């Protein structure tokens, strides 16, 4: 039986504080780790001594519009239903600049 992911890289999400973010791939997540700060947003995944296990079902890597990243618990984020193409393109451009730097 195949497990289905709740989120996919490229999805625009919103957390309950109103912040927008972009779901990123595992490779992109590893690429930005040393370059940007971890945001520690409300609802991020935290387990002392436990490594992140990005599976897009329980733990979702997200890059936020304030230039930080986090591994979020899937129950604390929500796909946006609004048409926010401007926010998505802004986040993708910021992410591209970080990866090129």
């Amino acid at each position: 039986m195949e497990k289905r992911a709740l989120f996919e890289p490229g999805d625009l999400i919103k957390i309950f504080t109103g912040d927008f973010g972009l779901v990123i791939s595992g490779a992109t997540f590893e690429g930005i780790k040393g370059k940007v700060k971890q945001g520690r947003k409300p609802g991020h995944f935290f387990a002392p001594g436990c490594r992140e296990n990005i599976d897009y079902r329980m733990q979702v890597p997200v890059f936020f519009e304030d230039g930080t990243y986090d591994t979020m618990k899937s129950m604390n984020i929500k796909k946006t239903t609004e048409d926010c193409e401007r926010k998505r393109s802004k986040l993708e451009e910021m992410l591209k600049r970080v990866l090129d730097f």
Side-chain angles (χ1 to χ4, degrees), residues 10-67:
D11 287 346
L12 190 64
I13 59 99
K14 190 175 187 179
I15 61 175
F16 59 87
T17 59
D19 296 326
F20 285 90
L22 187 68
V23 176
I24 56 178
S25 70
T28 303
F29 181 69
E30 291 299 322
I32 67 171
K33 265 187 169 180
K35 298 178 181 178
V36 296
K37 193 175 187 177
Q38 189 172 6
R40 306 262 187 224
K41 302 277 188 205
H44 76 276
F45 178 79
F46 175 72
C50 188
R51 240 184 115 212
E52 289 124 348
N53 180 25
I54 298 168
D55 58 1
Y56 298 98
R57 290 181 56 90
M58 297 292 287
Q59 298 178 31
V60 183
V62 179
F63 181 74
F64 290 99
E65 56 190 342
D66 64 356

Side-chain angles (χ1 to χ4, degrees), residues 41-93:
K41 302 277 188 205
H44 76 276
F45 178 79
F46 175 72
C50 188
R51 240 184 115 212
E52 289 124 348
N53 180 25
I54 298 168
D55 58 1
Y56 298 98
R57 290 181 56 90
M58 297 292 287
Q59 298 178 31
V60 183
V62 179
F63 181 74
F64 290 99
E65 56 190 342
D66 64 356
T68 61
Y69 77 93
D70 255 322
T71 303
M72 301 296 291
K73 293 179 189 173
S74 61
M75 67 176 142
N76 294 323
I77 61 177
K78 193 174 174 179
K79 286 183 186 178
T80 58
T81 55
E82 310 163 14
D83 184 27
C84 298
E85 233 10 80
R86 203 169 75 228
K87 283 198 184 284
R88 180 189 311 274
S89 63
K90 177 186 168 193
L91 282 164
E92 288 172 347
E93 182 64 34

Side-chain angles (χ1 to χ4, degrees), residues 1-5 57:
M1 188 180 237
E2 183 180 323
K3 289 184 179 181
R4 297 189 84 164
R57 290 181 56 90

